Amino acid sequence: MDKITIIGGNELHGKITISGAKNSALKLQAASLLTSQPMVLTNMPELADTRFMVELLEQLGVTVYWPKGSGRMQTHVAEIRSTIAPYDLVRKMRATFNVLGPLLAREGHATVSLPGGCAIGARPVDLHLKAFEAMGADIVIEGGYVKAAALRGLRGAHIVFPFVSVGATEHAMLAATLAQGETILENAAREPEIVDVANCLIAMGAKIEGAGTSTIHIQGVTSLNGTTYNVIPDRIEAGTFACCVAATGGEVLLDKMIPDSINALLGVLRQAGVGVERGDNWVKISRDKNVALKAVDIDTQPHPGFPTDLQAQFMGLMTTAEGTSIFRENIFENRFMHAPELRRLGADIIVRGNEAVVRGVKALKGAQVMATDLRASVSLVIAGLMAEGETTIGRVYHLDRGFENLEAKLTNCGANISRSAGD
Ligand code: EPZ
């Protein structure tokens, strides 16, 4: 298994171009099942997760042409060959579950493995299934599989989500584009990725209003056309690099991104004493590393609140801030797995339930640590970049799921970070 070695202490200077958003790309890949015409997705991030999704799409009968390094994925599925998403593929990556809605909407039936829990929490899919039932689908769970059928087609429904779910909002929206009549989604998630998926579906001929607000109206159509669509920039990648620069000191321009998509992070970075300048599609982060950061508290919330996907990175940063910061994780029940690893580098963190108390220490010292999930592992990179001496991170396949060219992007800005084959 590969490992990453970092020699900490280097400031970061330069420019980083932000890649396409993983969590949008995955849902757009699922959306390509909704049309029998060719689709082109540009600014596609080359990640383990988007490649897993290709494996599944191919199994369902989609022809995929995605030359390495092109960022341009072409798909075409004149006829769906299979409506079964097997356990082996769904267990590797939960977002593959999102093919259920498009298959059900287009073919009237689908059998998709339940994704099961994952490292950050139980992550049930009950809201997804309730939405499809409200749209007229019969759902049976058997042998770990969801068997869904709507043989006379899905019909529009008024769905009020009991709490905000990104996945359930997107999934219901995908299916509702081909349902008969109007679907209203209330208490919908408002993440930028939802708006991106809606914009792509609209370009495909779907009738959707209100994406990005808590009420979305979808008027079903009988078919969707193919289109060429550019995936939005990854706000979590942008926020992660912002934390890297805030941690090491220096000045880096984060280019080709949407500054508003990380407003919550930029606000707390400013409170901590980090320099933030912004333009139309860039943010410049600067910090004098001789001036200590101030501790700031974090409460994760659905968008536009502070994203759970940046909680671990901000915790990495706060380990050497002046004072105590309290982190409250309100989205997932087990998302502090980075805390014990950060402690190995000398951080002072106590976890109690969904709360972590981080008391800033003068400096971190390099150590051997282990990645546990995608965002947790990149918080260890941040800690390693500011620690004295050498940090090695094992199980880096977690990083490859969601960060495109991470080491190259950091090396270009002066970081001492490299990958090698591990034991
Ligand atoms: C998406 O997960 C993202 N994944 C996550 O990013 C992100 O952390 C999360 O949204 C929150 O922003 C993708 O887009 C692929 P939810 P999702 O449904 O859709 C509970 C990353 O690192 N819930 O908004 O699964 C759920 O357990 C990943 O890139 C139910 O109880 O998140 C959680 O506690 C990690 N029943 C809460 O709701 C359901 O049917 C919010 O989850 C659905 C969700």
Side-chain angles (χ1 to χ4, degrees), residues 126-338:
D126 52 325
L127 299 191
H128 301 229
L129 301 184
K130 280 192 186 124
F132 297 139
E133 276 174 342
M135 294 164 82
D138 290 318
I139 299 211
V140 178
I141 297 179
E142 222 173 67
Y145 278 78
V146 175
K147 297 183 176 172
L151 297 178
R152 276 175 287 144
L154 292 172
R155 38 171 210 273
H158 188 165
I159 296 160
V160 183
F161 292 113
F163 53 88
V164 174
S165 160
V166 174
T169 303
E170 285 163 341
H171 209 171
M173 187 168 73
L174 288 172
T177 57
L178 291 181
Q180 297 153 36
E182 187 182 38
T183 297
I184 302 172
L185 305 178
E186 279 196 62
N187 201 20
R190 293 179 284 163
E191 269 63 7
E193 293 76 21
I194 308 255
V195 180
D196 201 38
V197 173
N199 285 341
C200 177
L201 291 168
I202 291 167
M204 293 167 75
K207 294 196 161 48
I208 303 175
E209 279 175 15
T213 74
S214 47
T215 307
I216 304 178
H217 291 256
I218 305 132
Q219 199 67 51
V221 294
T222 48
S223 67
L224 292 173
N225 48 262
T227 192
T228 297
Y229 191 79
N230 198 45
V231 180
I232 49 161
D234 196 312
R235 66 194 165 103
I236 305 303
E237 190 203 14
T240 300
F241 286 125
C243 290
C244 289
V245 186
T248 60
E251 185 175 286
V252 172
L253 185 102
L254 305 173
D255 201 19
K256 300 211 169 98
M257 59 166 290
I258 304 172
D260 274 349
S261 68
I262 54 164
N263 273 340
L265 173 74
L266 296 180
V268 291
L269 284 175
R270 279 202 181 100
Q271 284 177 48
V274 177
V276 176
E277 261 183 78
R278 51 194 285 171
D280 284 353
N281 70 344
W282 56 265
V283 167
K284 195 192 278 173
I285 301 290
S286 57
R287 182 191 159 210
D288 173 355
K289 76 169 170 190
N290 298 310
V291 181
L293 293 177
K294 292 190 265 308
V296 183
D297 296 343
I298 290 298
D299 223 27
T300 64
Q301 296 291 348
H303 193 77
F306 191 95
T308 174
D309 288 349
L310 285 172
Q311 178 258 106
Q313 297 88 317
F314 199 74
M315 189 179 293
L317 182 61
M318 287 292 98
T319 54
T320 58
E322 218 167 57
T324 299
S325 24
I326 314 279
F327 282 69
R328 272 187 211 93
E329 172 54 56
N330 298 307
I331 309 294
F332 292 109
E333 62 272 26
N334 190 27
R335 215 172 191 188
F336 286 138
M337 281 169 307
H338 40 288

Side-chain angles (χ1 to χ4, degrees), residues 5-28:
T5 303
I6 301 170
I7 312 291
N10 290 8
E11 288 197 357
L12 298 178
H13 288 271
K15 181 168 113 174
I16 296 177
T17 300
I18 301 305
S19 299
K22 167 184 81 94
N23 287 348
S24 188
L26 291 167
K27 317 303 164 60
L28 295 173

